[in-house]
Amino acid sequence: MDIKVDLVQDSIGQLCPMPIALLAKNIRKLAPGQVIEIRADDEGAHADIPAWCEQTGNEFLGEEPGEGFFRYYVRKAG
Amino acid sequence: MAENKATIVVFSGDMDKVFAAFIIATGCAAAGMDTTLFFTFWGLNAIKKGEPIKAKSLLGKMMGIMNRGGIERLNPSRFSFGGIGRILFNKMMRDKKVASLPELRQTAIDLGVHLLACKMSMDVLEITRDDLIPEVEDIVGVATFVKEAANSKIQLFI
């Protein structure tokens, strides 16, 4: 995925609810329009990260597979 | 009118139920909801410091001994086996890298979850403010819960 990433969150090995809790903390560090990449191998993240985006109004840009984990991209709402 | 709030009563002091309460509270706070946990009766064990309480009456002292310890000493609601269950569950959760209860509680606090304690059950169990962790924001009664819950989108009793 050709996206400029401003912050990378390593949630590999973490289980619910830590990836989302960490994402909520990290998104505060970004300016509106900036993008965070979350690396996670918890299967629940597939549903949870888009659901969190829907709830908070941030934009879910998509996911792509890495080696043994997934990358998720979220753009902070303006 | 419902605001973007979540209000959860933590009545149970069972390890597994307290887990559920903190996971849901963390999720609500992460989603930007103003989240409040009301701890009452056995749930108070989840916000006790863990040192022996300074009860005055004989029954209060006995209760303090039976009910000793803080969040690390909570037993699961099933397969407790007189305290062995707690050790086994903690090991299983550590092996699977699930956050521990103290870590989850700290995460909830970091995300701004409000911790409130019920005055009446503190009186019954002879628990004082000094027996609770300093992050507990206030000691309250049922009217405070009703006010919060009436304005919340999510209300749970655990």
Side-chain angles (χ1 to χ4, degrees):
Chain A
M1 216 170 277
D2 192 22
I3 297 169
K4 186 185 160 289
V5 172
D6 299 287
L7 186 64
V8 174
Q9 173 183 327
D10 180 9
S11 284
I12 294 166
Q14 290 180 345
L15 290 178
C16 175
M18 299 319 273
I20 290 295
L22 203 56
L23 175 54
K25 278 189 202 172
N26 280 331
I27 201 98
R28 294 179 193 159
K29 298 176 188 164
L30 298 183
Q34 287 191 313
V35 172
I36 181 167
E37 172 187 324
I38 305 108
R39 297 176 185 172
D41 55 358
D42 173 27
E43 220 178 309
H46 289 290
D48 270 20
I49 292 174
W52 179 86
C53 289
E54 203 181 311
Q55 191 68 22
T56 55
N58 295 293
E59 187 186 355
F60 182 65
L61 301 173
E63 62 175 61
E64 61 181 8
E67 284 176 25
F69 64 94
F70 273 81
R71 293 185 168 88
Y72 302 86
Y73 300 95
V74 173
R75 189 191 306 281
K76 181 165 177 166
Chain B
M1 202 185 66
E3 297 167 36
N4 198 23
K5 281 186 171 189
T7 304
I8 303 172
V9 178
V10 188
F11 181 92
S12 172
D14 291 336
M15 168 214 261
D16 36 16
K17 293 178 187 173
V18 171
F19 248 106
F22 275 113
I23 289 174
I24 295 167
T26 303
C28 289
M33 302 184 84
D34 186 13
T35 306
T36 302
L37 290 173
F38 280 88
F39 293 88
T40 183
F41 276 92
W42 313 115
L44 289 169
N45 283 345
I47 50 169
K48 278 194 332 203
K49 282 177 186 161
E51 298 148 17
I53 64 165
K54 299 154 202 82
K56 287 198 178 71
S57 77
L58 179 62
L59 283 172
K61 285 191 177 109
M62 280 166 61
M63 184 61 89
I65 292 167
M66 303 275 284
N67 206 19
R68 66 189 173 281
I71 198 165
E72 282 107 346
R73 271 194 75 96
L74 304 183
N75 288 310
S77 61
R78 298 193 63 198
F79 306 138
S80 173
F81 307 132
I84 297 168
R86 174 181 74 235
I87 295 162
L88 297 180
F89 268 98
N90 276 333
K91 179 177 168 16
M92 284 176 77
M93 290 196 268
R94 236 188 351 262
D95 290 349
K96 282 157 186 101
K97 299 198 174 66
V98 178
S100 69
L101 267 181
E103 283 167 355
L104 260 182
R105 184 176 70 187
Q106 191 55 50
T107 304
I109 291 166
D110 291 347
L111 287 172
V113 172
H114 309 289
L115 309 181
L116 303 179
C118 161
K119 176 70 169 67
M120 190 275 272
S121 50
M122 285 173 67
D123 285 351
V124 173
L125 299 169
E126 299 192 23
I127 296 168
T128 62
R129 182 69 185 84
D130 286 345
D131 297 317
L132 301 177
I133 59 171
E135 289 88 349
V136 174
E137 282 178 25
D138 209 356
I139 314 292
V140 302
V142 70
T144 308
F145 162 72
V146 171
K147 176 176 154 281
E148 291 295 319
N151 290 316
S152 295
K153 286 180 178 163
I154 295 177
Q155 304 105 353
L156 297 172
F157 184 96
I158 296 175

